[in-house]
Amino acid sequence: MLGGVETRSVSPVFIGRTAELGVLREALTRATEGEPQALLLGGEAGVGKTRLIEEFARTARARDVVVAVGGCVEIGAEGLPFAPFSTALRALRLLLPGELAAAAAGQEEELARLLPELGEAPGGLHDEEAMARLFELTARLLERVAAERTVLIALEDLHWSDASTRHLLAYLFRTLRRGRIVLLASYRADDIHRRHPLRPLLAELDRLRTIRRIELNRFSRDEVGAQMAGILAAEPDPTLVDEIFDRSDGNPFFVEELAVAAGEDCCPPLSDSLRDLLLVRVERLPDHAQRVVRTVAEGGSSIGHALLAAVARLGEDDLIEALRAAVGASILQPTPDGDGYRFRHSLVREAVSDDLLPGERSRLNRRYAEALEAEPALVPADERATRLASYWYHAHDPAKALPAVLEASTEARHRHAYAEQLRLLERAMELWDETPEEVRALLCAGDNVGSAPRCDVTPGTTRLTYHDVLAEATVAGRLCGERDRALKITKRALRLLQEEPDALRAAWFWVQRSMLVQTLARGDGWQELATAQDLVSGLPPSLVHAEVLARVANWLMLHQPGPDSLTAAERAVEYARMVGARDIELNARLTLGGLMVDAGDVEAGLAEMYEVKESAQDLGRGAVGRVYVNLPSALEGVGRSREAVALLDEGAELARTLGLRDTEAWIWSNRAESLYALGRWDDSACSIARTRHPVYGSKPRASAAVHAAHLALARGDDAEATRQLAEARRWYGSYGPMPQHSLPMAAVALEVAAHEGRVLDARVELDAAITGGFPPGTQRYGWPLLRAAATVEADARGLPPAGPGRAAALARIRSAARTLTTGAPVWQAHDHWVRAELRRAEGTDTPADWQEVVTAFGPLERPYDLAQVRFRLAEALLGAEDDRTRATELLRQTAALARHLGTVPLGEAVERLAQRARLSLTGLPAPAPVDPLTAFGLTSRERDVLRLVAAGRSNRQIAEELFIAPKTASVHVSNILGKLQVSGRGEAAALAHRLGAFPPAPRAVGAGSERPAAR
């Protein structure tokens, strides 16, 4: 190795960049105060990004900051998976061994995918959460390491980064919220053409306000002069400065090259190309040094000394002499770890590489590959497979390249680098037909198939087929988010399977297509699943058969629950047990248990789900995660909210520990629903806020938006409810509607419409939701919807616009209610509530009706529901029996709970009813009734007009009754709408009705009454 070699071209003085350094130092100060910082540094090649990072790192170290630098490693045309993060974590392990070990405690095996020194990464199932889990654990690791010490992590050359590195970087940029950490990444801006893979990431990061972008500009003429003075160790001639400034256009690297060339009196003429300029000093090296430089250029962005020695085929003394010449000429420089070499600037490497002849390039790649095969320890273990695959591929030797590419793809899968796995498998597809048959015959499926199931694999003996490669590529594409590419691969596979029929393989590919089209929102996926089901029908039990049945059962549970879904789940469990597919069996049993609960067999269904919970603890993370989503959801569906919350709290901690991102999102959403039911509304709002983390999927965020809409309605914020409903619809999308999504949204839309005076629109929402009837097992969503619809009709009784079609609307609600089961106490309670509201809508409700509802809700721990029905009972008592003592107590209880929950509409309704009935809820004398319209500042004439508007009169009818002109009536109506802050006559009438502004004459005992309702 080399030491003490002097280089001459780098300026010893750091020039300019005052503003940029100021931004970086400010970020460091903020990070030291506990606010994580994310920065992107961009600039053209040669503008000085690395030099700026080096200067910033020097400043940081002077402030006792731990600095870890990692660079994207280019090999051929591709990068190593997670290379910059692996390098940075190795540096942290050297600098903070104790802190990193403590931060990784308990998750060493999973984090070993990034840092192999932590242990042996586990195998096992690869699912949609695998990569997200790794990313979450990495974020948590960095936050813990940076809890007490300020840490600077600098990642260079993002333009060479692999897709997995880009995904992890984006995740960290979005999620790091704690710790004294600065995350800085640099990239070459002039390389980012329209189709460059880094471009979408930069566009995404531009939308994050937490990220600061720094763009390095070229030097001014004065800065060029200062740089030349540092390089030449003397003040340069002004004429030379002008000439070099003009030729370099202020690019610091070009300034350096031209300044050195001018100092050596070998500056090329103005007409020479940039490549020639960069090659000037290379061509002045001795021949053997030029050969070494060309060898290094083809080996990758950096190359170890031992590997270079094996490939260069020079004696040790000749190699050292050649390297001294190249380092002395500032063409090569030692790597930071001192074990290898890299070009001082990538532009020189690219110029040297471009100057290679095709045959020369192939020969060098072959030498690298042969050297690695002969001595694998020449490169780090986590680089070996990727390097060997690249070298053999660029050596144009398919017989060697295909096995190497497949091995590298397996390694990438093992590290959850699914994007790189997909790229390698696509390369394997390209090489397949070019590879001799005798080589392909030696490839084993057991060695290269990890994600796609094969029913007939015997490790070490079962031959790998082209279909296996396509299957692996399909799964890799789905897991890395390249779903369009995966969909195309399945299409190719199914076309080939038409020529060589294989029902099980075809069924498996159809299952994959089902998942892909659903994720891409191009269909509900049922047609694909039905095709798969037809293909396996009549075949002996197998892994594929069990998976198809489990997928069918789960799809039916979500989209078309009922007897068919229950049967499918039972068959899936049976087949999974026959073939020993434990993970499929547990997932199918979880589906079966949920369907049993929905079918009314509550205790047996919950028992099944609890058994799965106990069995899944030692299985896979995916099964455990689904248990903590589905089981609490089933408990909530039957009104056991407190039990559900306890499980959700347990699941949230487990999901955080295991890094189960989507599971955690669903847990927060389900927790919000259960806490709302329990009356813990502030806690519910906090859980809703937790679902809005930018890395969570769309479906749990949509579910939480629906819960937020219900909470907003209960608290009287109709505008927020409308906004949350729009968010839910946006996140859910329009494909594959599920009852568990559509029915709760319909309930919100119905109530919003009613609150805005659009009773007819509310009926339209109900009709759209119940057309075709409720699917079996959807009573947990159906009962609240019907209760809301019945309440709307009851509240609208007496409103003229709601009169037409009223009887038909009530009949539809009654008819729909008869189809819903009442196998759980909470469903029975809602049944009573719906019946009572329907009687209220007809004016025939009695205190006994509402007493029955109050009794049903009493033991259910649903305080808001209980408060609402208590209010109705009090209202009925005052209207029918005039039992003022009991009504007063009920209203006091309701008012206290309304204050506790913060439900403004219910509190106001209680206050208005107490004032009209002249009841004191405080023990003091009852106040005189207060006119509910006083606060709006209506004149006497405007009150008269509003009374007629509420009765459904037109402007002409108002004019005739009040003996005024129609135009005057129109002016009054406009003024009223403005004072009430409503948008139309219907909303004004609904508001007057809701406030009880024009109460009817009291009815006789037992007759129908028109009572204002709580919203």
Side-chain angles (χ1 to χ4, degrees):
M1 299 296 292
L2 304 180
V5 179
E6 181 182 355
T7 60
R8 295 163 293 166
S9 56
V10 178
S11 171
V13 181
F14 184 75
I15 307 299
R17 309 305 188 202
T18 304
E20 293 83 355
L21 265 180
V23 172
L24 293 171
R25 287 167 177 162
E26 179 191 355
L28 193 61
T29 299
R30 289 187 177 185
T32 302
E33 295 170 353
E35 181 183 350
Q37 300 293 299
L39 303 104
L40 277 173
L41 175 61
E44 68 180 12
V47 82
K49 300 180 292 298
T50 297
R51 187 68 191 276
L52 176 62
I53 289 175
E54 290 172 351
E55 183 68 16
F56 177 46
R58 184 188 63 77
T59 301
R61 290 188 184 99
R63 293 169 59 173
D64 198 31
V65 173
V66 178
V67 178
V69 180
C72 298
V73 178
E74 186 188 27
I75 304 171
E78 55 274 335
L80 278 173
F82 301 122
F85 287 103
S86 297
T87 304
L89 289 175
R90 283 193 182 96
L92 286 178
R93 188 166 181 263
L94 289 173
L95 296 168
L96 300 172
E99 290 89 339
L100 189 127
Q107 299 297 338
E108 292 90 347
E109 289 186 349
E110 193 67 27
L111 289 167
R113 302 183 195 279
L114 288 183
L115 187 59
E117 290 88 337
L118 290 177
E120 183 68 27
L125 184 68
H126 295 268
D127 55 26
E128 283 80 356
E129 288 200 6
M131 188 163 63
R133 182 167 60 247
L134 176 62
F135 290 0
E136 175 62 23
L137 294 177
T138 304
R140 196 175 310 140
L141 174 77
L142 294 177
E143 288 176 345
R144 289 173 178 171
V145 169
E148 302 296 334
R149 292 285 301 274
T150 304
V151 175
L152 164 63
I153 295 180
L155 308 175
E156 295 192 84
D157 301 323
L158 280 187
H159 50 279
W160 288 334
S161 61
D162 58 285
S164 297
T165 291
R166 295 192 295 272
H167 294 159
L168 176 52
L169 180 66
Y171 186 92
L172 295 176
F173 272 158
R174 290 195 303 266
T175 61
L176 285 176
R177 295 291 182 268
R178 297 186 300 274
R180 299 162 57 178
I181 188 168
V182 177
L183 186 57
L184 170 64
S186 70
Y187 66 95
R188 188 191 292 180
D190 52 330
D191 268 8
I192 311 302
H193 51 78
R194 215 172 65 178
R195 299 179 65 83
H196 194 286
L198 184 60
R199 191 181 184 92
L201 173 62
L202 295 176
E204 175 189 348
L205 297 180
D206 271 341
R207 294 190 290 270
L208 299 180
R209 286 178 288 180
T210 55
I211 297 177
R212 283 192 277 184
R213 291 280 293 269
I214 302 174
E215 294 292 335
L216 284 190
N217 297 316
R218 298 173 179 179
F219 278 169
S220 66
R221 193 265 182 204
D222 290 342
E223 289 171 328
V224 167
Q227 181 187 8
M228 291 177 62
I231 293 171
L232 301 175
E235 195 66 31
D237 182 87
T239 304
L240 181 61
V241 173
D242 290 338
E243 180 182 349
I244 289 181
F245 177 67
D246 290 340
R247 293 189 64 187
S248 67
D249 205 16
N251 182 291
F253 179 69
F254 299 155
V255 170
E256 181 180 311
E257 292 298 307
L258 290 166
V260 172
E264 296 176 351
D265 198 25
C266 63
C267 190
L270 289 173
S271 60
D272 277 10
S273 69
L274 173 61
R275 186 172 67 88
D276 291 337
L277 169 65
L278 296 177
L279 290 175
V280 165
R281 276 185 288 156
V282 175
E283 292 169 350
R284 297 184 71 237
L285 292 172
D287 288 345
H288 66 301
Q290 290 187 47
R291 288 198 300 273
V292 168
V293 167
R294 286 193 290 270
T295 301
V296 173
E298 194 57 25
S301 53
S302 63
I303 189 76
H305 180 84
L307 178 58
L308 177 60
V311 175
R313 299 182 181 178
L314 291 174
E316 186 66 21
D317 291 340
D318 290 339
L319 178 61
I320 292 296
E321 181 184 348
L323 287 169
R324 281 192 176 276
V327 172
S330 289
I331 295 167
L332 299 179
Q333 64 181 22
T335 53
D337 59 12
D339 289 334
Y341 307 93
R342 66 183 183 187
F343 278 82
R344 196 183 63 77
H345 201 286
S346 58
L347 283 174
V348 180
R349 173 176 171 256
E350 290 162 15
V352 174
S353 182
D354 289 344
D355 200 46
L356 292 173
L357 298 172
E360 190 176 12
R361 191 185 311 278
S362 298
R363 179 171 55 83
L364 285 173
N365 275 283
R366 177 174 291 277
R367 283 188 182 180
Y368 274 111
E370 289 172 344
L372 268 185
E373 281 194 341
E375 185 54 63
L378 291 174
V379 297
D382 56 335
E383 296 183 14
R384 188 179 305 131
T386 303
R387 283 187 178 271
L388 196 59
S390 178
Y391 293 147
W392 278 125
Y393 178 79
H394 290 102
H396 304 297
D397 188 338
K400 289 284 193 177
L402 180 60
V405 165
L406 289 171
E407 182 182 353
S409 75
T410 302
E411 173 69 21
R413 183 188 69 230
H414 188 62
R415 301 186 69 186
H416 295 336
Y418 300 119
E420 284 60 54
Q421 182 195 7
L422 175 61
R423 175 181 54 77
L424 288 161
L425 289 169
E426 288 176 330
R427 185 166 284 180
M429 294 180 219
E430 170 195 335
L431 293 167
W432 189 268
D433 289 335
E434 301 175 15
T435 303
E437 172 63 25
E438 57 270 21
V439 174
R440 297 203 305 257
L442 297 175
L443 299 173
C444 294
D447 300 331
N448 298 286
V449 175
S451 304
R454 279 282 301 272
C455 307
D456 54 350
V457 171
T458 302
T461 61
T462 303
R463 179 175 173 179
L464 181 75
T465 70
Y466 187 64
H467 295 114
D468 293 325
V469 178
L470 293 174
E472 282 295 294
T474 298
V475 175
R478 178 166 57 81
L479 296 183
C480 76
E482 292 289 346
R483 298 180 181 92
D484 275 313
R485 287 161 68 184
L487 204 58
K488 291 177 181 176
I489 293 170
T490 63
K491 184 177 180 180
R492 183 193 310 178
L494 290 169
R495 187 174 60 247
L496 292 173
L497 286 168
Q498 289 177 344
E499 302 169 6
E500 304 174 24
D502 184 329
L504 283 179
R505 285 185 184 275
W508 185 88
F509 279 109
W510 280 113
V511 168
Q512 298 301 307
R513 283 188 69 84
S514 174
M515 291 188 283
L516 290 166
V517 297
Q518 290 181 76
T519 307
L520 290 168
R522 295 179 186 170
D524 62 10
W526 174 248
Q527 188 58 51
E528 291 78 9
L529 278 180
T531 303
Q533 191 173 23
D534 290 342
L535 284 166
V536 299
S537 178
L539 295 179
S542 66
L543 280 172
V544 173
H545 204 152
E547 182 180 5
V548 169
L549 292 176
R551 295 279 181 186
V552 167
N554 192 61
W555 191 98
L556 289 172
M557 178 185 71
L558 296 174
H559 294 83
Q560 297 174 11
D564 289 345
S565 58
L566 197 62
T567 301
E570 289 170 342
R571 290 185 64 212
V573 172
E574 178 187 359
Y575 274 65
R577 283 173 175 164
M578 283 192 283
V579 299
R582 185 66 169 154
D583 55 337
I584 297 176
E585 178 198 339
L586 291 180
N587 272 294
R589 286 178 63 194
L590 195 61
T591 299
L592 177 62
L595 288 167
M596 291 168 67
V597 171
D598 291 339
D601 194 359
V602 175
E603 295 306 322
L606 291 176
E608 180 79 10
M609 299 179 85
Y610 270 110
E611 285 182 19
V612 172
K613 174 180 176 290
E614 296 305 316
S615 301
Q617 299 295 333
D618 299 323
L619 191 64
R621 294 182 175 91
V624 171
R626 190 165 174 247
V627 164
Y628 281 102
V629 174
N630 288 26
L631 176 53
S633 178
L635 289 167
E636 176 58 37
V638 295
R640 291 160 63 167
S641 303
R642 189 175 298 279
E643 191 176 344
V645 169
L647 270 177
L648 289 164
D649 289 342
E650 179 184 325
E653 181 61 33
L654 183 66
R656 278 194 298 272
T657 301
L658 298 178
L660 300 173
R661 183 182 68 185
D662 281 352
T663 296
E664 188 175 3
W666 278 114
I667 286 173
W668 288 120
S669 176
N670 289 354
R671 189 174 185 270
E673 181 183 15
S674 295
L675 290 170
Y676 174 84
L678 290 169
R680 294 168 55 185
W681 287 5
D682 289 340
D683 291 340
S684 176
C686 289
S687 291
I688 290 168
R690 296 290 291 267
T691 68
R692 291 169 183 159
H693 199 295
V695 301
Y696 288 155
S698 60
K699 293 295 189 293
R701 296 177 76 171
S703 174
V706 174
H707 303 325
H710 281 295
L711 184 57
L713 283 172
R715 285 180 162 170
D717 192 344
D718 293 349
E720 176 64 11
T722 301
R723 191 182 72 80
Q724 291 295 340
L725 178 60
E727 281 290 290
R729 285 171 171 161
R730 180 170 71 87
W731 286 116
Y732 275 140
S734 58
Y735 282 92
M738 305 177 190
Q740 67 178 19
H741 301 161
S742 58
L743 295 179
M745 286 195 295
V748 173
L750 185 151
E751 291 194 62
V752 168
H755 289 182
E756 294 175 352
R758 298 182 289 108
V759 177
L760 301 183
D761 288 345
R763 290 174 183 167
V764 170
E765 292 286 352
L766 176 66
D767 289 346
I770 65 176
T771 298
F774 290 114
T778 57
Q779 55 277 346
R780 67 174 292 187
Y781 310 109
W783 280 122
L785 173 63
L786 294 183
R787 194 277 307 162
T791 301
V792 168
E793 294 298 337
D795 288 351
R797 189 166 70 89
L799 281 178
R806 178 182 180 79
L810 295 177
R812 283 194 296 274
I813 295 172
R814 277 198 173 90
S815 176
R818 284 194 290 270
T819 68
L820 294 177
T821 61
T822 56
V826 69
W827 303 340
Q828 293 173 354
H830 271 89
D831 181 24
H832 293 312
W833 194 354
V834 169
R835 294 174 187 275
E837 288 289 7
L838 289 172
R839 293 191 185 105
R840 185 168 73 93
E842 296 169 335
T844 61
D845 60 318
T846 66
D849 296 326
W850 289 107
Q851 180 59 59
E852 187 177 27
V853 184
V854 169
T855 301
F857 273 102
L860 295 184
E861 286 194 284
R862 303 178 96 77
Y864 182 50
D865 292 340
L866 181 60
Q868 291 179 90
V869 298
R870 278 176 174 169
F871 172 78
R872 292 298 176 205
L873 175 57
E875 189 180 44
L877 288 169
L878 290 172
E881 300 176 359
D882 200 26
D883 187 343
R884 298 174 62 82
T885 301
R886 189 174 178 210
T888 300
E889 181 57 30
L890 287 168
L891 290 178
R892 282 175 178 166
Q893 293 173 354
T894 304
L897 187 62
R899 287 192 298 272
H900 171 72
L901 294 177
T903 167
V904 175
L906 181 57
E908 290 177 345
V910 170
E911 185 179 345
R912 287 194 301 270
L913 181 58
Q915 287 176 348
R916 289 205 311 276
R918 298 196 177 187
L919 298 177
S920 172
L921 303 182
T922 62
L924 300 175
V930 177
D931 184 352
L933 296 177
T934 300
F936 296 101
L938 299 183
T939 66
S940 176
R941 175 60 80 184
E942 288 169 346
R943 287 174 52 83
D944 292 339
V945 172
L946 177 59
R947 176 175 54 81
L948 296 173
V949 167
R953 304 290 199 276
S954 67
N955 286 348
R956 180 171 296 278
Q957 291 169 326
I958 293 171
E960 291 174 353
E961 187 160 340
L962 298 180
F963 303 102
I964 58 178
K967 185 173 182 180
T968 303
S970 175
V971 171
H972 282 312
V973 170
S974 297
N975 291 337
I976 291 168
L977 297 182
K979 290 181 178 181
L980 297 183
Q981 296 183 346
V982 295
S983 58
R985 301 168 73 96
E987 195 172 347
L991 178 61
H993 187 71
R994 190 164 65 248
L995 293 175
F998 309 108
R1003 66 176 178 175
V1005 174
S1009 67
E1010 297 180 0
R1011 299 188 296 270
R1015 281 166 53 188

